[in-house]
Amino acid sequence: MRRAHSMEFGAEMVEGGVRFALWAPTAESVDLVVDGADHPLPESGGGWRRTALPGVKPGARYGFRIDGDLVAPDPASRFQPDDVSGLSEVIDPRSFEWSDAGWTGRPFEEAVIYECHVGTATPEGTYAGLQARLPDLKALGVTAIELLPLADFKGSRNWGYDGVQPYAPDGAYGRPDDLKRLVDAAHGLGLMVYLDAVYNHFGPAGNYLHAYAKTFFTERHQTPWGAGINFDGKESGATVRQFFIQNALYWLEEYRFDGLRFDAVHAILDDSPRHFLAELGETVRKTFPDRQIHLMLENEANQARWLERDAAGRPKMHDAQWADDLHHCWHVLLTGEDAGYYKSFADKPVAHLARCLAEGFAYQGEPFPTLDNHPRGEPSGHLPPSAFVTFLQNHDQVGNRALGERLNHLADPRKLDLARAGLLLAPQIPMLWMGEEWSASAPFLFFVDFAPDADLNKAVRDGRRREFKSFAAFADDTSKIPDPTEAETFAASKLDWSERERSPHREVLAETTRLLGLRRDAVVPLAKSGYEGAAATLPRPDVVDCTWRFGAGTLRFVANVGTEPFALDPGGAEPVWTNAPDGAGRDLPSWTGVFLTESRS
């Protein structure tokens, strides 16, 4: 089976040649350059310029000469073989033969997500290298892998959030067909593949839209990256919105991704009557009615409105939000850290944890100390657990630390045992950060590669050190902070898979695998039987007791994060897991817990 996504943007194979299209509303003139030869690119209305050239083949290199001078790559390029400032390459997406014709995805309740960065997940740092590890991830009990952004970025090293070519998977990891082989192989193993997509900004190097489409951006909206993307412009907004909506459809159709995670949607500023996020979610649902597509948000605003379900319990727009609140609760309890946003959870972390377990968000409109006590969040207790992607670690929470420490570098292993079970056996959608399954030794550091732009590299390096100057550990010496522009920083972040065979990593991997087996056998069937509600209590200020109700029965989690023992009456419920010495979870010493299930007769 061969697949291609048809769209107005970019270069598209047509009978006998290629159709080229560029939206350039503020350019005086545009010529098409193909393999060194210039061709007219006539206006076709609404800021568009289009032409079809016969005889152009896949592999041809092309760009657009703007106002007789700058030759810019295609903003909808399918591949940039010579990085973001080079010419684009004509790609025939139908040249790849897919073998997953019967694949339509998996229910979201079955998702166990493995977030990874292609460049550091394996020694090879390629799509092929990650593909070779798919059997290991399947054996672990993972059912979905989530790739950090792939949109082409400047240089050979980047987390992916500096992308400027949203349609072009970065060439540092391989060619487009290599990515398709990875997705195809994953489907063959029953694994879903998600992609992190960035629609709130472009990176600082290699974005040429300002040269010919100034109205793609607007000063009316300001973001941490400068002028906002013009989603609501009177004349340009519709095209700008389509640029990103078509991008989502492109990844889902042409690359067969099973879902998308949208980065920092609180920074997508849109005053339209119908917000971009609503149009995006509804369009995806309408376009792929026969596939199980999962859409996830990162949203500091905790807006439950984007996660609403229909009468049948299906997401109207987006499936889930990353549950940062729950992460923050666990992190405070595990490490004692209370700086920055952790301050808003350090006052009563157990109570906040209980609310997150039962209702999703800890803050649902209450004053948020980190935001000068401005209200944060919306009521979320009516949403099912599958509306929340939960985690103890992710790329941000590890990589945004000055030294990139993982949780196993910071927390007591005994405490981490309880938190790990609390993550993997609760009915929300759990996510592991690559290497977490064996408590990997490698840090995940912040890294970029803007060479030969020495000024930009220096700005990033200095900014990173300035960011941590206020921390006591670096107040007198910021030189301890790894230089994000050095290749060694990137290399230090690569996983060492051989660790899995050595203690203590071997034991952590075995326990993670066991927990995911218990989840598959005991938790997923409950979650798929229909959610009916949840309630959490604090039988003691340092003990959380949460029960979720489903059509087929109940799931109960009791955790003692205090110093004194706690006695529990399990009633008629049976233990699924406990780390208590009695093996039954009736007597819970410090930092032990139990998961119990009870079938509905």
Side-chain angles (χ1 to χ4, degrees), residues 23 43-50:
W23 186 65
E43 295 186 52
S44 56
W48 284 95
R49 295 171 181 268
R50 299 183 178 92

Side-chain angles (χ1 to χ4, degrees), residues 1-7 12 78 93-94 96 98 100 180 183 187 195 245-260 284 287-288 291 293:
M1 183 171 289
R2 303 176 187 274
R3 298 182 174 94
H5 176 67
S6 180
M7 57 186 175
E12 191 160 299
R78 281 177 160 89
R94 291 186 176 86
F96 184 81
W98 291 83
D100 66 346
K180 292 175 182 177
V183 177
H187 291 170
L195 177 64
I245 288 173
Q246 291 302 316
N247 182 256
L249 300 180
Y250 161 82
W251 289 119
L252 295 170
E253 182 175 11
E254 197 160 300
Y255 282 85
R256 296 279 287 165
F257 279 98
D258 300 282
L260 300 168
V284 169
T287 305
F288 302 102
R291 286 176 59 192
I293 300 292

Side-chain angles (χ1 to χ4, degrees), residues 112-198:
V112 174
I113 303 172
Y114 189 86
E115 189 193 23
C116 59
H117 175 266
V118 175
T120 54
T122 67
E124 300 85 356
T126 61
Y127 302 124
L130 183 57
Q131 181 180 334
R133 288 295 175 184
L134 293 179
D136 295 310
L137 298 180
K138 180 179 175 64
L140 171 65
V142 162
T143 61
I145 61 171
E146 181 174 314
L147 308 181
L148 263 63
L150 300 178
D152 207 317
F153 48 78
K154 171 71 173 175
S156 61
R157 307 180 299 275
N158 199 285
W159 282 12
Y161 298 92
D162 292 320
V164 293
Q165 294 280 356
Y167 290 82
D170 198 279
Y173 309 137
R175 289 187 56 83
D177 281 3
D178 296 320
L179 175 57
K180 292 175 182 177
R181 288 187 192 95
L182 168 64
V183 177
D184 198 40
H187 291 170
L189 292 170
L191 299 175
M192 299 177 283
V193 189
Y194 303 146
L195 177 64
D196 197 334
V198 182

Side-chain angles (χ1 to χ4, degrees), residues 352-506:
H352 287 312
L353 176 62
R355 194 181 201 194
C356 288
L357 289 169
E359 301 180 21
F361 299 148
Y363 285 86
Q364 301 181 27
E366 294 83 6
F368 193 61
T370 315
L371 293 176
D372 296 325
N373 284 319
H374 288 298
R376 173 175 177 258
E378 297 174 353
S380 58
H382 61 292
L383 294 171
S386 58
F388 304 95
V389 174
T390 55
F391 43 86
L392 299 178
Q393 306 177 69
N394 63 33
H395 73 276
D396 268 333
Q397 303 302 340
V398 177
N400 284 335
R401 302 179 67 88
L403 303 180
E405 306 103 321
R406 294 169 174 271
L407 201 50
N408 51 286
H409 299 141
L410 306 170
D412 181 330
R414 182 175 58 90
K415 294 181 178 181
L416 196 50
D417 285 345
L418 175 60
R420 184 183 298 113
L423 169 72
L424 298 180
L425 296 181
Q428 290 86 5
I429 306 301
M431 184 175 76
L432 295 166
W433 169 236
M434 63 177 196
E436 181 180 352
E437 71 272 26
W438 75 78
S439 288
S441 298
F444 185 68
L445 299 164
F446 178 64
F447 48 80
V448 297
D449 173 25
F450 293 129
D453 191 333
D455 290 340
L456 183 53
N457 269 345
K458 183 178 186 300
V460 172
R461 183 187 311 116
D462 292 349
R464 183 72 172 173
R465 291 176 175 169
R466 200 164 45 244
E467 178 184 354
F468 291 102
K469 181 74 173 174
S470 60
F471 288 69
F474 307 103
D476 299 323
D477 182 12
T478 58
S479 66
K480 294 181 290 185
I481 300 172
D483 184 343
T485 69
E486 291 292 335
E488 291 79 4
T489 303
F490 169 75
S493 301
K494 284 181 175 280
L495 292 180
D496 176 5
W497 287 73
S498 70
E499 282 187 327
R500 301 180 310 153
E501 302 167 5
R502 302 190 295 270
S503 186
H505 309 287
R506 179 178 61 241

Side-chain angles (χ1 to χ4, degrees), residues 4-23:
H5 176 67
S6 180
M7 57 186 175
E8 284 189 295
F9 302 92
E12 191 160 299
M13 302 298 301
V14 294
E15 186 174 353
V18 176
R19 183 229 63 196
F20 296 92
L22 179 71
W23 186 65

Side-chain angles (χ1 to χ4, degrees), residues 11 22 58 95 142 505 509 566 577 583:
L22 179 71
S95 67
V142 162
H505 309 287
L509 178 62
F566 178 75
W577 172 93

